[in-house]
Amino acid sequence: MDGHFDNIFISGRGEVANRIARTCHRVGIDVLDVEVPPAPHPLLPDAEATVAAAQAAGAAALHPGYVGPRARAELAFLSRAAGLTFVGPSNEALAVMADKVALRTRAESTGIKSLPGSNALSTWEEARHAAEEIGFPLFVKPVAGTAGYGVLEVDDEDDLHTAFDISVEQATATFGDGRVYLEHALHRPRHLEVTVVADAHGNRIALQERDSSVQRRHQVLIAETPSPWLTNHGEGEAIREFLIDQALRLAEELSLVGVFTVEFLIDADDRVFFLEANADMQGAILVTELATGRDPIELSLEMAAGAPLAHDPSRSLRGHAFEVRVCAEDPEDAFRRTPGAVSDLRFPAAPLRIVRIEPAVTAGEEPPPGIEPLLCRIAAVAPVRHDALHWLDRVLAESVIDGVEDNITFLRKILNHDSFRAGAYDTAFTKRVLAE
């Protein structure tokens, strides 16, 4: 790699940090074990203490791991000021991505359409007036948010005040920024994402879209690529090309370098709306790698080191891929976290070329508080969608997780549902399955 760095410090702990470390070891980059003060929230580390510890340990580079957008921007600024290579987009781009309202404005300036929304709001009165203009239903969202934290859907003004207060409180605790904004809520949209890779030499490619419509708490539960909705749609290829064009256009507008995801919602009339863009890659790593044969983490390291990216117009796929998130949660109780530590975690043998299992905890551990209670990611890829589904369901059926209640039964119910098998699902699908 151009400007190759020999060692790296990864901010934070948990499954994303472990996944980054595995890639670093595979490509020959030493991962430094550095003690930093405990963070008030997993997504809100002490940026100054983190960078100081990395610098004292002799780190050449810093990877932010899985943190909130504001923390990512602070880590980038301080890392680069300290002479460290930061794995991620520029300071300027991250500052825009850390402010969802500013990001919407920049996207709209290039002709990328967003849903009707408000400016950043600080008071309930501001929210009430904005809601009158936007209309219900709508979402209350943290300005500095990511991954669905602090996002609340509101159907009428009676619920708005409570939702506003809750979202402000969660945004402050999770992201260190209590500002929120309002955005119109679509009825049962599709949620599609495009991962873009961009180097410092002006080259950009898209790593195929992902359908991330199966969600709970506005967080992805099951992702697959390519989108079966696009595959079955008469205008699917044209919509796919439009999504990719919009993602690449935003990358150019922000002069983005690295690996990042651009997210879209598509309504019942096939209208496409920009949702957000982020650089955390939490939902993009495994399913994208299996489908494309390209590790997004390795690509992000190469881009940070200044390596040029060979243009790949074909976006060729190895097959159809799925990823499910096995969590310690109770789907029948609003997906609330189930307490306790895992006493046993065992998975069946499966061909590595078809199935990938990445545990997030080991026996005796429990998922970290404050974030998604992930136990493991399981992904499968096969030449055709049906075979990938078969392998994924088989692995879930034969997996053993003791000590905590998990969502495996619910995941299998979705995978075997007639509507899911037909690719006919949207962001409200899990609610409908639970109601059956």
Side-chain angles (χ1 to χ4, degrees):
M1 294 188 294
D2 292 354
H4 173 70
F5 44 86
D6 296 320
N7 65 54
I8 192 169
F9 171 65
I10 303 169
S11 173
R13 295 292 183 266
E15 60 97 15
V16 173
N18 292 339
R19 176 64 173 79
I20 296 166
R22 284 197 293 273
T23 294
C24 289
H25 290 313
R26 179 170 58 79
V27 300
I29 299 174
D30 291 333
V31 177
L32 301 178
D33 186 10
V34 181
E35 289 295 326
V36 296
H41 188 279
L43 300 184
L44 189 61
D46 184 327
E48 289 188 3
T50 298
V51 172
Q55 193 175 24
L62 186 145
H63 195 298
Y66 182 43
V67 297
R70 178 177 174 178
R72 185 180 301 271
E74 292 176 347
L75 285 168
F77 177 81
L78 293 172
S79 295
R80 289 169 171 140
L84 304 179
T85 296
F86 182 80
V87 181
S90 69
N91 297 350
E92 295 76 15
L94 286 173
V96 174
M97 296 170 78
D99 186 321
K100 295 298 185 284
V101 175
L103 181 60
R104 283 165 48 95
T105 300
R106 288 290 292 274
E108 290 170 352
S109 72
T110 68
I112 300 174
K113 187 174 183 179
S114 298
L115 289 163
S118 73
N119 293 321
L121 306 168
S122 301
T123 68
W124 148 244
E125 283 299 318
E126 291 176 348
R128 184 172 64 82
H129 288 304
E132 290 175 353
E133 295 184 5
I134 298 169
F136 294 94
L138 52 77
F139 285 111
V140 184
K141 296 184 171 184
V143 169
T146 189
Y149 293 105
V151 174
L152 298 172
E153 187 169 4
V154 179
D155 293 322
D156 52 51
E157 188 174 312
D158 291 340
D159 296 331
L160 179 59
H161 199 163
T162 299
F164 177 84
D165 290 342
I166 293 173
S167 186
V168 168
E169 181 181 356
Q170 292 183 355
T172 302
T174 308
F175 307 113
D177 185 341
R179 295 176 303 151
V180 301
Y181 68 106
L182 306 184
E183 186 174 79
H184 177 66
L186 293 175
H187 178 64
R188 294 170 50 171
R190 306 288 303 211
H191 184 156
L192 272 62
E193 305 175 344
V194 177
T195 292
V196 174
V197 187
D199 65 18
H201 312 283
N203 303 307
R204 304 177 186 91
I205 63 169
L207 296 181
Q208 192 66 29
E209 88 286 343
R210 292 184 305 281
D211 199 320
S212 299
S213 301
V214 179
Q215 305 176 358
R216 84 285 190 239
R217 298 193 308 269
H218 313 295
Q219 296 176 332
V220 179
L221 189 61
I222 300 175
E224 66 172 304
T225 185
S227 166
W229 177 73
L230 290 181
T231 300
N232 297 331
H233 195 297
E235 300 296 325
E237 190 56 34
I239 297 173
R240 175 178 286 120
E241 292 299 326
F242 180 75
L243 294 173
I244 291 171
D245 175 73
Q246 298 269 285
L248 293 174
R249 184 188 301 183
L250 183 65
E252 182 177 8
E253 166 66 18
L254 298 180
S255 299
L256 287 166
V257 174
V259 181
F260 41 90
T261 294
V262 185
E263 304 182 25
F264 302 92
L265 294 178
I266 305 177
D267 70 6
D269 296 321
D270 297 344
R271 294 180 299 177
V272 176
F273 299 94
F274 168 72
L275 184 61
E276 66 175 78
N278 60 75
D280 62 35
M281 292 188 294
Q282 188 201 25
I285 300 172
L286 190 52
V287 69
T288 297
E289 180 184 358
L290 281 188
T292 65
R294 309 185 76 169
D295 180 354
I297 298 296
E298 183 177 358
L299 288 169
S300 70
L301 296 169
E302 291 176 352
M303 298 304 98
L309 176 67
H311 187 59
D312 179 12
S314 65
R315 300 187 303 278
S316 59
L317 294 176
R318 299 169 62 197
H320 201 105
F322 290 90
E323 176 183 337
V324 299
R325 305 172 74 82
V326 179
C327 298
E329 61 188 17
D330 182 1
E332 300 293 337
D333 187 20
F335 295 96
R336 285 185 172 83
R337 173 189 290 257
T338 57
V342 174
S343 59
D344 193 11
L345 193 70
R346 287 178 284 128
F347 304 102
L352 188 60
R353 70 182 186 282
I354 297 175
V355 175
R356 186 80 61 82
I357 302 170
E358 294 190 350
V361 296
T362 58
E365 294 181 335
E366 59 181 293
I371 56 176
E372 181 182 40
L374 189 67
L375 300 173
C376 68
R377 301 171 188 257
I378 301 178
V381 64
V384 295
R385 185 173 187 263
H386 174 80
D387 289 344
L389 267 174
H390 167 77
W391 275 103
L392 185 57
D393 185 56
R394 173 183 163 183
V395 171
L396 285 170
E398 298 178 14
S399 296
V400 175
I401 299 176
D402 293 329
V404 295
E405 187 172 355
D406 60 64
N407 63 346
I408 285 180
T409 298
F410 183 67
L411 289 171
R412 296 193 64 215
K413 185 176 181 179
I414 290 177
L415 296 180
N416 289 285
H417 196 284
D418 289 343
S419 294
F420 185 84
R421 292 268 168 171
Y425 59 84
D426 51 58
T427 58
F429 184 63
T430 55
K431 293 180 182 178
R432 298 199 297 277
V433 173
L434 282 170
E436 292 178 354

